Amino acid sequence: DGGITQSPKYLFRKEGQNVTLSCEQNLNHDAMYWYRQDPGQGLRLIYYSQIVNDFQKGDIAEGYSVSREKKESFPLTVTSAQKNPTAFYLCASIKPGGVNEQFFGPGTRLTVL
Amino acid sequence: RKEVEQDPGPFNVPEGATVAFNCTYSNSASQSFFWYRQDCRKEPKLLMSVYSSGNEDGRFTAQLNRASQYISLLIRDSKLSDSATYLCVVRPNQGGKLIFGQGTELSVKP
C-alpha cells in the first residue's frame, strides 16, 4: 500500500534538545510539506520541498530545519531555538496535476517538557 | 484579515439535521478550493474539491462564489459519523501551497 508514514506517533523531549521527526512516502510524489497544528487552529506551513535537494521556508520556519536528500524522505528537525515546540506535526505530499490533493501522514504529537 | 476564515464553531446538531459551513478567502486570484475533514487527533483527509459550478457528493454539497470570495459546505441528513472538524482550504495559484482555515467543529448528537 502506498502512503506517508511518520514516526514516532508520540514524542517527548526535554526543553533545549533538538529532535528530528521522520516523514517517508512511497507515492512517488515530488512535493512534500511540513505543517504544525495547535489546538483549535488550522495548519500552518513550516517548510516545503518541490524537488529533491531543494526546499523553501513556509510561514513559520523559525526554529526548524529540513533536508531533502531523497525523494521519499523529508525529515524535520525542531531545534532548541523554537520557542514553543509542543504541537501536532503533519507531513504531506502532493500528486502533481489533476486535483492536486494533499495526502497527509498520521502525524507526530511532540511534547516538550 | 486572515487569508482563509471559517465560521467559528462548534456546531452541535441532532441526527438528521442539515448544517452549512461558510468560508471566506482574501486572495481574489485563488485557483483551487477544497474541503478537508479532520477527525480528533488524526490527519486531515480530502472530503471534496469545490468547483465553480458547485458540486455534490451524496449528502455533501459544495458551492463557490468567486465574486464574494466565499465557499460553503452543506451536509444533509447528518449522521453521528459526520462529527469532525471541517477545514476550508484554498490554493492561491496553480501548483502553489495550500492555505488552511482554522476549521469548524461539528458534533452530531443522537
Side-chain angles (χ1 to χ4, degrees):
Chain A
D1 281 341
I4 301 176
T5 56
Q6 291 185 245
S7 61
K9 189 171 182 178
Y10 297 97
L11 188 56
F12 297 87
R13 278 293 181 268
K14 290 183 180 178
E15 199 171 334
Q17 287 183 333
N18 290 359
V19 60
T20 297
L21 310 185
S22 164
C23 177
E24 304 280 331
Q25 55 100 357
N26 60 3
L27 299 166
N28 200 33
H29 290 170
D30 288 314
M32 297 185 74
Y33 301 77
W34 272 106
Y35 294 92
R36 168 186 174 135
Q37 188 175 34
D38 294 283
Q41 296 192 34
L43 279 65
R44 292 185 289 167
L45 183 63
I46 305 172
Y47 266 99
Y48 62 105
S49 169
Q50 306 272 38
I51 199 165
V52 174
N53 292 323
D54 188 44
F55 48 82
Q56 288 79 41
K57 292 182 178 180
D59 302 314
I60 54 164
E62 186 176 348
Y64 299 97
S65 66
V66 293
S67 63
R68 187 83 186 279
E69 296 175 2
K70 297 186 300 182
K71 189 175 187 176
E72 303 79 19
S73 179
F74 190 39
L76 173 75
T77 297
V78 185
T79 75
S80 56
Q82 167 50 232
K83 296 283 187 278
N84 185 19
T86 295
F88 187 39
Y89 290 88
L90 288 156
C91 179
S93 69
I94 190 165
K95 182 180 177 181
V99 173
N100 287 163
E101 175 185 354
Q102 276 204 348
F103 295 84
F104 285 88
T108 293
R109 202 164 292 275
L110 173 65
T111 301
V112 175
L113 307 170
Chain B
R1 182 184 172 187
K2 289 182 182 177
E3 290 184 86
V4 178
E5 199 147 5
Q6 297 186 235
D7 280 341
F11 282 49
N12 296 303
V13 303
E15 261 187 300
T18 296
V19 61
F21 303 136
N22 300 315
C23 172
T24 56
Y25 59 95
S26 60
N27 186 340
S28 59
S30 293
Q31 297 273 332
S32 307
F33 310 89
F34 310 91
W35 283 101
Y36 275 71
R37 171 194 168 127
Q38 186 175 24
D39 292 297
C40 189
R41 304 179 81 83
K42 300 277 191 179
E43 73 274 24
K45 293 185 178 177
L46 180 67
L47 178 66
M48 59 197 300
S49 301
V50 186
Y51 301 119
S52 297
S53 54
N55 47 299
E56 189 174 305
D57 183 3
R59 298 182 292 108
F60 299 83
T61 300
Q63 297 279 354
L64 168 64
N65 184 324
R66 286 190 183 271
S68 302
Q69 294 176 212
Y70 168 95
I71 306 157
S72 66
L73 176 69
L74 182 77
I75 305 175
R76 290 183 299 279
D77 189 22
S78 299
K79 312 289 184 193
L80 297 177
S81 57
D82 293 335
S83 297
T85 296
Y86 291 83
L87 301 168
C88 174
V89 184
V90 174
R91 183 190 305 281
N93 50 64
Q94 193 61 29
K97 62 184 183 180
L98 298 180
I99 311 294
F100 287 78
Q102 78 273 27
T104 301
E105 186 183 343
L106 171 66
S107 180
V108 182
K109 306 289 189 187

